[in-house]
Amino acid sequence: MPRTSLRLITLALFTVVLARVPAAHAVDTPKSSLWHGGWKRLDGSTLRKQPRTRSTPPAVASRAWHRFRREHPNGDWRAVWDHDTGVPLRVYGGGIAVPGATKDAARGEAAARSVLDAHLDLLAPGARSGDFELSANHIDLDETLRTVNFAQRSGGYVVRGASIGVRIREDRIIVIASTAAPAARRATVSTLLSSDGASKRAFTHLATAAPQATLSVVKTTGPFVLPLMSEEGVSAQPLVFEVELESALPFGRWSVFVDALSGAVVGRRTHLRFSQAFLSVDVPRRHPGRGRETVPASEMDVLVDGTIQPTDTDGRLRWPEGSTAPTLEARLSGRRARVINAAGPNFRGRYVADADASVVLGAPDDALVDAQLGAFASIDRVSRYIERVAPESPVLTSPVVAEVNVEGECNAFFDGEGLHFFRGSERCENTARIFDVVAHEYGHVVHRGSLIEGAGRFDPALSEALSDYLAAAMTDDPGMGRGFFRDDSPLRHLAPEDPARWPEDVAGDPHSTGLILAGALWDLRSELIRSLGFESGTLAADRLWFAALLRASDIPSVYAEVLAADDDDGNLANGTPHGCAIQTAFARHGLAEPHGGLQLGSIRFGGNHARVAVSHEGPSCPGGKVLSAEMAWRIRDGSSTGSEAMRRIGSELVAPMPSVAPGSVLEVRIELQLESGEQIQRPLNPASPWYEHYVGEVEPLFCTDFEDDPWQAGWTHELRDGEDRNGADDWQWGPPAGEPGSGDPGSAHSGTHVVGNDLGQGLFNGRYQAGKTNALVSPSIQVPLGYASVRLQYRRWLNVEDAGFDQARILSNGVAVWENAAGSVDRPLHHEDREWRFHDVDLGWADSDREVVLAFELSADAGLDFGGWTLDDLCVVGVRRTQSEWASSPGHDGPCSNERKPPCDEVEPAPPEPGPLGPGCGCTSAGTHATGSSPLGLGLLGLLVLLRRRR
């Protein structure tokens, strides 16, 4: 699809780079879309929730990546790539020597700038060195890990959320991070909307959408460049103002984004981000159903005879000796927390205290008072926990404001400024009385307040994961949120039997997506406890958690940041002290390659064996050993199944081919069991989970490898129908570009050329068009007599949405003979090939057809679009009839029956030499046996007869 047209429809597509001021995070999602709907897509498009990632560089970055590795050859460098932008989110490895850069800030900045300048084509394609200015030069409290970050500008304007940075350990750069916007737009206009004008337009927009709100403008920032990314991988970079507005009654806070050039409202988002996560609090035994305990009123403000005086950390209050018993008024405020009661006056505990008296503040039977006391005690407890893990965290310098007993039920949220907890109901407990809920919401406070600006980012799903981990770690229980529904069942579980994995379990709800990372962090904690003991293991895990909180920009970037924090010698290529535990935990959730970077190649058949290349990248870890390898197999018609053990021979896993009848289509799957308990399967395509292999002799009737122009050889392509018939279909011939976000290959299966939907050439983006049906149609392929079946055998790289939305079909003479699979609404089954796949299709040919016309069709709805068809090495082949098949053919005596011998002017001449049909069969005239009507098929015949006979 042409990029020029896409830019016109993407100005309202939002991505998480907007979140400088974080959205409010909550445990439930009320139904009001204005107050609790998150991002509002004004054009109906889909916001990218998380970056789609890949472990191999896209074609557009290959040259820059190879140059980087060539210039730094000793690093064993690896990267996590943003599938849509082609930029490496994190590059990590053995390191680049930068003497003195760890302790010396100036040297650290110079070293980071040098790497940025040298590899700008890799880290921010299309940008200039002058577009980046220093935004952070931070060294950890123990002065062992330095973070240097440069924020991106475009035409003098800040590019929101875009930066390049490095991590330096032991005077070596071991991680390079990039959230840069490739080819960021450089605004050159001289006349922009004023800040006041933007505020007025935002106010008018929101007042129209929410007439019941009492609105006021909080602040206006900008203009700045806003990189936008849709779920389809479509990007735009408008210059915008951000106008923050709030409503006192009913309460709400929004950001409205106004285009600084046109004045149009690009979109809006509410700061009250809700989801299905339900937070609850207990004071302090997690929730009221688990009983109560007395804890110190630590650092609480107390009015002593008219003067505010805080207690100490043990809850001890002192006054001058010899004084009479003072009048005390305990207030739920102090150095760490300030509690506000939304349902009435704030709690005041008034007492007359004798010396050495014990005063207990409590109201277990009054939920509204108990919620205030519980929130104060829980925040104090979590704050002290953070102080132990990360004493340098800025959030410890000021109290956290918590509003409790908010009107409503089953929720709590963080709005970027403070915490808010809802009252109880018959269904749900008052969330301020549930410790897990308070700890979770405080996790958002720590994330927002501690991250290194520009290096880390307040991504919603990332923050939900970090906050879930904090609550679970503090209770030593992966069942987070017990007591929320007035029982002891968890709201979310970080260690279920079926762990959440990336990217299969990425969902619209950031709480659900967050369980992928939260589960990985919990598994890492468990591994470290096993190896280090409880005290040392939990502290090590929590410090790695905090390192991720400081620097990660999204869930896929956490793995490299945790490795960098764990490193002790400035070289990630040789492993880290706890690298194998990290590897094990993150691989279990799809966030790292399998143990030691286990790599499997594509399957190959030959010599009665199936072979798969196997290798490791990176340090080998205990548990990474392959305990067993099997090749599961089945006949495609369901007649037989079985398995064959695979043996390691050199760098390959080898299995004998099962003995099956000729004419069968054998399907196989590789299954590996690792010592760690991890299971690995190939192929990696849930919609097509078996490799195919045709068993038996076939004869090529028509073949092409698409190296010559198919349009000159009789192939055609057309737009068949759609929501509109404007424009052209998107079938192209040439080298595949591997456009980021399309899923397309970066090279042909053989040679250099392929045919496919939108190969990404010129102004095209690699994805098929929405709302249209288009087709590639073959020339007429003549089929001589004597074939029991005619089959299509070719190589495909197909990426298409679930068949419930988009349909990819193969048609033979107008009849569909294959189509992509369909899943369900909750779990769509997208067909995403990650390698060139051999595909055999029975064309359902009958003698009466005498010719075959193929069509590869793709029908798309108006939503998500993928890369579509990519085709190479295509053959139409025939399987000869046997003598017995001739004999059983109704009405015919055999291969030379007079009734089966048509006139020579109606068919291809028969071969002059005796063949499977017998001498003289076909017709009575001598002639040359042809294998197809296309000149391309004839030209390739001599070679393909030898190459295409296959087992």
Side-chain angles (χ1 to χ4, degrees):
M1 190 172 182
R3 288 193 181 95
T4 51
S5 63
L6 288 172
R7 290 186 181 127
L8 300 178
I9 64 173
T10 55
L11 290 179
L13 303 178
F14 281 78
T15 188
V16 293
V17 299
L18 301 176
R20 172 171 294 178
V21 178
H25 287 254
V27 290
D28 191 16
T29 307
K31 303 306 179 185
S32 171
S33 62
L34 181 64
W35 265 259
H36 313 298
W39 300 106
K40 174 63 176 177
R41 305 184 304 275
L42 300 185
D43 68 344
S45 54
T46 306
L47 167 68
R48 187 174 85 163
K49 303 174 185 69
Q50 287 286 317
R52 294 190 294 169
T53 57
R54 54 190 293 171
S55 58
T56 57
V60 293
S62 294
R63 180 175 298 178
W65 177 240
H66 291 319
R67 182 173 70 84
F68 174 85
R69 297 183 74 173
R70 185 174 64 252
E71 293 181 7
H72 306 290
N74 299 319
D76 188 19
W77 296 98
R78 285 162 279 166
V80 176
W81 298 86
D82 188 315
H83 191 67
D84 297 313
T85 66
V87 169
L89 292 171
R90 294 298 186 274
V91 176
Y92 56 98
I96 302 170
V98 284
T102 303
K103 298 294 180 65
D104 190 310
R107 290 186 180 183
E109 179 184 350
R113 173 67 72 176
S114 176
V115 169
L116 184 155
D117 291 344
H119 299 288
L120 198 60
D121 58 338
L122 173 69
L123 302 172
R128 299 175 299 185
S129 177
D131 294 341
F132 294 87
E133 60 182 23
L134 185 70
S135 60
N137 196 339
H138 174 277
I139 192 165
D140 285 6
L141 197 64
D142 61 0
E143 298 187 345
T144 61
L145 182 63
R146 179 172 295 280
T147 301
V148 182
N149 221 73
F150 298 93
Q152 186 175 8
R153 286 182 170 269
S154 175
Y157 297 104
V158 170
V159 182
R160 175 68 66 86
S163 68
I164 296 175
V166 302
R167 318 295 181 246
I168 304 172
R169 168 91 73 180
E170 296 289 329
D171 293 341
R172 297 181 67 82
I173 294 176
I174 56 174
V175 171
I176 304 171
S178 176
T179 57
R185 187 185 69 177
R186 297 180 175 86
T188 57
V189 295
S190 56
T191 303
L192 297 177
L193 186 69
S194 67
S195 175
D196 185 58
S199 300
K200 291 178 180 178
R201 290 174 185 259
F203 187 94
T204 300
H205 165 78
L206 202 56
T208 302
Q212 71 274 41
T214 55
L215 293 174
S216 61
V217 175
V218 177
K219 64 179 178 179
T220 300
T221 55
F224 53 85
V225 176
L226 186 64
L228 308 176
M229 185 67 69
S230 73
E231 190 67 69
E232 295 80 6
V234 179
S235 63
Q237 297 178 21
L239 189 67
V240 301
F241 285 95
E242 179 181 2
V243 183
E244 288 186 46
L245 304 99
E246 67 179 8
S247 169
L249 187 68
F251 176 76
R253 183 176 294 164
W254 300 266
S255 282
V256 176
F257 296 87
V258 181
D259 193 298
L261 306 182
S262 68
V265 174
V266 172
R268 69 169 182 262
R269 57 182 285 267
T270 174
H271 288 211
L272 307 183
R273 183 179 298 278
F274 288 82
S275 74
Q276 295 303 310
F278 298 92
L279 301 178
S280 52
V281 65
D282 184 16
V283 183
R285 287 183 182 159
R286 298 186 67 177
H287 64 87
R290 286 199 171 191
R292 310 183 65 83
E293 65 180 354
T294 302
V295 296
S298 173
E299 298 180 279
M300 179 185 289
D301 289 341
V302 180
L303 187 66
V304 181
D305 289 339
T307 302
I308 291 293
Q309 192 169 326
T311 63
D312 65 12
T313 56
D314 296 324
R316 182 182 304 159
L317 181 69
R318 292 182 172 89
W319 59 83
E321 291 185 7
S323 301
T324 57
T327 300
L328 310 180
E329 183 180 278
R331 300 183 173 184
L332 299 184
S333 61
R335 188 171 75 87
R336 301 178 185 273
R338 183 163 67 89
V339 177
I340 299 172
N341 179 24
N346 292 341
F347 170 81
R348 296 286 188 268
R350 293 182 175 86
Y351 306 90
V352 176
D354 295 325
D356 298 323
S358 294
V359 177
V360 179
L361 310 175
D365 297 325
D366 186 336
L368 298 182
V369 174
D370 198 37
Q372 298 175 66
L373 294 168
F376 183 88
S378 295
I379 291 172
D380 177 78
R381 178 180 165 189
V382 183
S383 175
R384 293 182 184 284
Y385 190 89
I386 298 301
E387 193 169 53
R388 167 180 171 266
V389 174
E392 70 272 30
S393 175
V395 304
L396 300 172
T397 60
S398 59
V400 172
V401 177
E403 182 187 29
V404 304
N405 300 321
V406 175
E407 184 67 38
E409 65 166 0
C410 304
N411 224 325
F413 61 87
F414 167 60
D415 65 359
E417 300 293 336
L419 307 181
H420 305 266
F421 301 95
F422 285 21
R423 301 182 193 179
S425 66
E426 291 185 5
R427 188 162 64 105
C428 301
E429 180 58 80
N430 185 311
T431 51
R433 303 176 81 192
I434 310 172
F435 174 77
D436 295 33
V437 173
V438 179
H440 174 97
E441 297 304 336
Y442 194 96
H444 294 309
V445 176
V446 179
H447 187 196
R448 180 69 187 96
S450 302
L451 62 81
I452 301 172
E453 193 67 40
R457 194 166 64 204
F458 196 91
D459 171 79
L462 171 64
S463 195
E464 298 300 343
L466 296 170
S467 298
D468 270 1
Y469 170 84
L470 175 62
M474 289 197 65
T475 60
D476 192 33
D477 179 5
M480 201 288 298
R482 297 188 190 276
F484 186 86
F485 291 111
R486 296 189 178 275
D487 59 22
D488 205 47
S489 62
L491 184 60
R492 288 186 291 277
H493 206 289
L494 278 61
E497 292 184 6
D498 183 16
R501 287 183 59 84
W502 183 277
E504 299 94 314
D505 294 309
V506 172
D509 179 3
H511 298 85
S512 296
T513 300
L515 283 173
I516 303 171
L517 175 60
L521 292 171
W522 181 264
D523 288 349
L524 173 59
R525 179 180 186 269
S526 301
E527 294 278 350
L528 293 177
I529 289 173
R530 278 193 288 270
S531 60
L532 303 177
F534 186 82
E535 290 297 329
S536 298
T538 54
L539 183 59
D542 291 345
R543 285 179 173 168
L544 293 176
W545 162 81
F546 188 72
L549 181 147
L550 285 175
R551 302 177 181 87
S553 53
D554 41 52
I555 287 177
S557 66
V558 171
Y559 177 62
E561 298 294 357
V562 170
L563 286 179
D566 191 51
D567 180 62
D568 62 352
D569 65 356
N571 184 351
L572 294 183
N574 64 3
T576 68
H578 308 110
C580 287
I582 297 169
Q583 176 81 25
T584 299
F586 278 71
R588 190 175 297 148
H589 294 267
L591 294 171
E593 293 296 321
H595 285 278
L598 183 68
Q599 301 289 319
L600 295 179
S602 295
I603 194 166
R604 296 181 295 112
F605 299 97
N608 296 321
H609 286 83
R611 301 171 182 272
V612 176
V614 61
S615 63
H616 284 77
E617 290 185 3
S620 180
C621 293
K625 179 181 178 182
V626 177
L627 291 183
S628 65
E630 284 190 347
M631 182 181 75
W633 63 267
R634 67 183 188 183
I635 305 302
R636 193 166 66 185
D637 64 11
S639 59
S640 298
T641 62
S643 64
E644 300 288 345
M646 305 190 78
R647 294 184 301 131
R648 180 73 176 263
I649 301 178
S651 60
E652 292 184 319
L653 292 171
V654 181
M657 296 290 289
S659 178
V660 298
S664 302
V665 177
L666 181 68
E667 296 184 323
V668 303
R669 182 172 64 212
I670 307 304
E671 300 176 346
L672 273 60
Q673 180 73 41
L674 302 187
E675 190 176 38
S676 64
E678 186 176 359
Q679 295 180 334
I680 298 174
Q681 291 187 354
R682 295 291 186 276
L684 287 173
N685 185 349
S688 179
W690 296 84
Y691 294 112
E692 289 186 351
H693 175 65
Y694 182 82
V695 178
E697 299 290 341
V698 298
E699 294 184 8
L701 302 177
F702 174 89
C703 291
T704 175
D705 57 6
F706 295 115
E707 291 305 300
D708 295 322
D709 188 345
W711 320 135
Q712 298 297 319
W715 291 81
T716 60
H717 50 100
E718 61 188 17
L719 187 66
R720 292 190 163 175
D721 57 45
E723 294 179 1
D724 67 77
R725 294 300 301 272
N726 297 323
D729 67 90
D730 56 12
W731 284 92
Q732 296 177 337
W733 169 67
E739 193 73 26
S742 69
D744 284 347
S747 60
H749 177 256
S750 68
T752 59
H753 284 55
V754 299
V755 170
N757 294 111
D758 194 334
L759 299 179
Q761 301 169 343
L763 296 177
F764 288 79
N765 68 354
R767 300 174 196 65
Y768 50 79
Q769 297 185 83
K772 297 184 184 299
T773 298
N774 58 62
L776 172 74
V777 183
S778 76
S780 176
I781 302 167
Q782 299 301 309
V783 181
L785 291 173
Y787 292 103
S789 68
V790 177
R791 318 183 73 83
L792 168 65
Q793 297 183 343
Y794 72 110
R795 298 284 177 168
R796 70 153 197 253
W797 194 308
L798 173 62
N799 282 277
V800 64
E801 194 179 8
D802 183 290
F805 307 99
D806 296 348
Q807 298 80 43
R809 304 183 190 90
I810 300 175
L811 294 88
S812 175
N813 295 338
V815 177
V817 291
W818 182 88
E819 61 183 15
N820 60 309
S824 64
V825 174
D826 293 334
R827 285 194 173 272
L829 195 60
H830 303 323
H831 185 116
E832 296 182 275
D833 286 336
R834 304 186 185 186
E835 58 189 315
W836 281 105
R837 297 282 296 275
F838 171 80
H839 189 195
D840 171 277
V841 182
D842 188 339
L843 298 182
W845 175 85
D847 276 350
S848 59
D849 292 338
R850 303 304 308 285
E851 68 176 14
V852 169
V853 176
L854 298 174
F856 292 86
E857 189 176 84
L858 198 149
S859 182
D861 64 8
L864 188 63
D865 300 323
F866 289 70
W869 286 106
T870 308
L871 310 174
D872 203 359
D873 293 335
L874 178 148
C875 271
V876 174
V877 301
V879 180
R880 285 287 188 182
R881 266 197 178 95
T882 65
Q883 292 289 338
S884 61
E885 287 173 329
W886 273 111
S888 62
S889 180
H892 302 300
D893 301 335
C896 291
S897 166
N898 289 332
E899 295 181 23
R900 301 297 294 164
K901 189 157 74 172
C904 287
D905 59 357
E906 295 182 10
V907 298
E908 302 282 351
E913 73 281 3
L917 291 178
C921 294
C923 68
T924 57
S925 301
T928 302
H929 181 61
T931 58
S933 61
S934 167
L936 180 59
L938 289 169
L940 295 172
L941 174 61
L943 175 63
L944 290 170
V945 166
L946 296 176
L947 296 181
R948 297 288 180 169
R949 299 178 78 87
R950 56 191 76 182
R951 287 277 180 192

